[in-house]
Amino acid sequence: MYVYADNAATTAMSKVAVDAMTPYLMQEYGNPSSLHSVGQRAKEALESARATVAQCLGCEPREIIFTSGGSEADNQAIRSAAFNGARKGKKHIITTAFEHHAVLHTLAKLEKEGFEVTYLDVSQGHTITAQQVKDAIREDTCLVTVMYANNEIGSILPIGEIGAICKEAGVPFHTDAVQAVGHLHINVKEENIDMLSLSGHKFHGPKGVGALYVRKGFPIQNLIEGGAQERSKRAGTENIAGIVSMAAALKDACDHMDENMPRVAAMRDKLIAGLSQIPHSALNGDPVNRLPGNVSFCFEGIEGESLLLLLDMNGVAASSGSACTSGSLDPSHVLLAIGRVHDVAHGSLRLSLSEYNTDEEVGHILKVVPEVVQYLRNMSPVWRDLQTGKRQYIL
Ligand SMILES: *Cc1c(COP(=O)(O)O)cnc(C)c1O
């Protein structure tokens, strides 16, 4: 048995999404900007996809800009608010310490350009409170950007409360909702969200396509200059097949959310209960307000990378919070931000489920993970030191 439990990294495309895409690769390949009927049919498909996405978020179709994915949407949202703010002499931005790199690296660049960024502490309960946002808002704050749900540890943040605070203070509010869209009920109007990023491949749609919701009237700026596509806010011939497919995947996810998510959450809870039995382990993330598919643990005395390789050999595709794959030996910024010390953060494991996983697969994970953790601990000099008392347990 081989279990794919890395759905926070990406998902398999659904049949619905593949079927929706195929005609637009083969017969309906027109350019929506063309005046002939082939182009006009592509244009209709584009606008119909826009209406579908808008419906799922509770906004108007004209408030949706299609992008190349979540990263581009995050960049455009943040850059726009920064540009608008700078024109009014407002150069302060509020975010959290555990955002995705698409947000954090954009903000790091802005800091070099003279912006000041407040990184809200997430070590209390592995989340933030709306009060923290309220306390951080200043006269010169031009943006609050807070993720809807964390991709590594699964915490769901109080977005509705933060939206209300930002509205009252007159500060633009962006949320990176890439992990939440298609998995949680979202209504951008009720939650007072000005900008929201989403990405197709996190809800069984294709990779390389996403969207940015921008509240009507918010002055959004271009990241990419060129033609007049997307109301002149995102140039380039539209990825029609990808957009149509993403919209179909999103509609499917939203239509079946109420049946799928409780089932996914039940599998998650079974995994959390089982893995909590492993001694010297700790659950990462908010235990209550948590993504239905997210299971994140730290195990003391092991290396996350060896754990992942052995799990793969034993039929489980998972992920660790560590960034070692990208050539750095630093543990994940998310785990450090929630207060895990380096040694503990290195022994992390993230299992992320989707509705395609089964109870049988959960059983397989629950058999394999404790065995592999024990195997690695038996070989680990750190574990020996912990057991002989040369080193003190942290977890
Ligand atoms: C995956 C992800 C992104 C990036 O989306 P892409 O479409 O891969 O660019 C951004 N933010 C979060 C929280 C994510 O999980």
Side-chain angles (χ1 to χ4, degrees):
M1 180 182 276
Y2 193 89
V3 184
Y4 183 76
D6 200 13
N7 289 279
T10 198
T11 57
M13 279 182 72
S14 61
K15 185 167 185 320
V16 172
V18 174
D19 288 349
M21 165 180 270
T22 320
Y24 294 92
L25 298 167
M26 307 279 292
Q27 302 93 29
E28 299 295 346
Y29 46 76
N31 184 326
S33 301
S34 300
L35 292 180
H36 47 64
S37 54
V38 190
Q40 287 312 296
R41 283 200 299 277
K43 173 91 181 150
E44 275 166 32
L46 174 66
E47 294 317 318
S48 159
R50 197 186 307 284
T52 302
V53 172
Q55 168 127 45
C56 292
L57 297 177
C59 67
E60 293 174 29
R62 54 177 292 180
E63 296 176 307
I64 298 295
I65 298 174
F66 290 114
T67 67
S68 69
S71 300
E72 184 186 328
D74 284 343
N75 275 258
Q76 185 166 11
I78 294 167
R79 284 266 168 204
S80 294
F83 179 89
N84 299 335
R87 287 209 291 202
K88 296 181 206 147
K90 295 183 171 192
K91 298 185 83 171
H92 175 239
I93 299 173
I94 298 168
T95 190
T96 75
F98 67 3
E99 295 294 311
H100 190 272
H101 281 144
V103 169
L104 289 181
H105 290 173
T106 305
L107 293 174
K109 276 210 163 164
L110 288 171
E111 284 181 299
K112 288 199 178 129
E113 293 167 24
F115 284 80
E116 192 186 330
V117 180
T118 298
Y119 297 90
L120 298 176
D121 176 41
V122 291
S123 62
Q124 298 302 309
H126 303 181
T127 188
I128 62 161
T129 61
Q131 188 63 41
Q132 282 175 273
V133 175
K134 193 169 188 175
D135 293 343
I137 290 177
R138 312 193 311 213
E139 271 305 306
D140 62 341
T141 304
C142 63
L143 173 68
V144 170
T145 174
V146 169
M147 69 200 318
Y148 209 108
N150 184 276
N151 46 306
E152 283 188 34
I153 61 169
S155 301
I156 300 171
L157 283 71
I159 293 303
E161 285 175 61
I162 296 169
I165 285 167
C166 291
K167 187 180 179 188
E168 162 128 35
V171 176
F173 176 39
H174 165 251
T175 183
D176 172 344
V178 173
Q179 289 290 331
V181 171
H183 305 277
L184 303 174
H185 289 288
I186 295 178
N187 185 302
V188 291
K189 301 294 166 192
E190 285 169 11
E191 295 168 89
N192 292 300
I193 298 166
D194 295 310
M195 293 180 284
L196 174 145
S197 308
L198 64 91
S199 174
H201 72 106
K202 302 290 175 76
F203 48 79
H204 304 294
K207 297 174 190 37
V209 60
L212 178 63
Y213 150 78
V214 184
R215 183 180 51 73
K216 197 171 46 194
F218 184 87
I220 194 78
Q221 308 294 328
N222 286 56
L223 220 51
I224 300 176
E225 305 290 345
Q229 292 91 355
E230 300 299 291
R231 304 169 68 87
S232 294
K233 293 307 174 197
R234 203 282 185 179
T237 304
E238 300 88 342
N239 174 7
I240 297 296
I243 289 168
V244 167
S245 176
M246 171 173 74
L250 182 55
K251 180 167 183 346
D252 192 40
C254 293
D255 286 352
H256 298 103
M257 198 181 287
D258 291 339
E259 333 151 20
N260 288 338
M261 289 309 134
R263 202 177 68 74
V264 174
M267 291 191 284
R268 170 200 66 190
D269 293 341
K270 213 167 151 189
L271 281 176
I272 291 177
L275 298 181
S276 299
Q277 303 296 311
I278 297 177
H280 305 289
S281 66
L283 178 70
N284 301 313
D286 190 322
V288 180
N289 294 314
R290 187 176 192 92
L291 284 171
N294 179 285
V295 177
S296 171
F297 274 89
C298 284
F299 302 112
E300 197 160 6
I302 61 169
E303 289 286 332
E305 297 71 52
S306 339
L307 179 61
L308 292 188
L309 294 177
L310 275 178
L311 286 179
D312 187 36
M313 284 163 58
N314 285 280
V316 178
S319 133
S320 86
S322 138
C324 288
T325 41
S326 55
S328 132
L329 281 173
D330 292 337
S332 139
H333 70 283
V334 174
L335 297 175
L336 295 178
I338 62 170
R340 298 289 183 221
V341 298
H342 276 245
D343 282 351
V344 166
H346 270 301
S348 60
L349 174 69
R350 177 188 71 185
L351 298 156
S352 43
L353 307 172
S354 85
E355 59 271 33
Y356 294 2
N357 289 110
T358 63
D359 289 329
E360 209 192 344
E361 291 180 338
V362 168
H364 181 70
I365 296 173
L366 283 174
K367 180 179 166 295
V368 168
V369 173
E371 287 173 3
V372 171
V373 168
Q374 193 52 54
Y375 176 81
L376 287 171
R377 280 178 171 174
N378 289 343
M379 301 195 312
S380 153
V382 172
W383 184 250
R384 193 178 318 122
D385 287 352
L386 288 166
Q387 291 211 302
T388 56
K390 258 193 181 168
R391 229 184 231 253
Q392 296 302 306
Y393 288 108
I394 298 163
L395 299 180

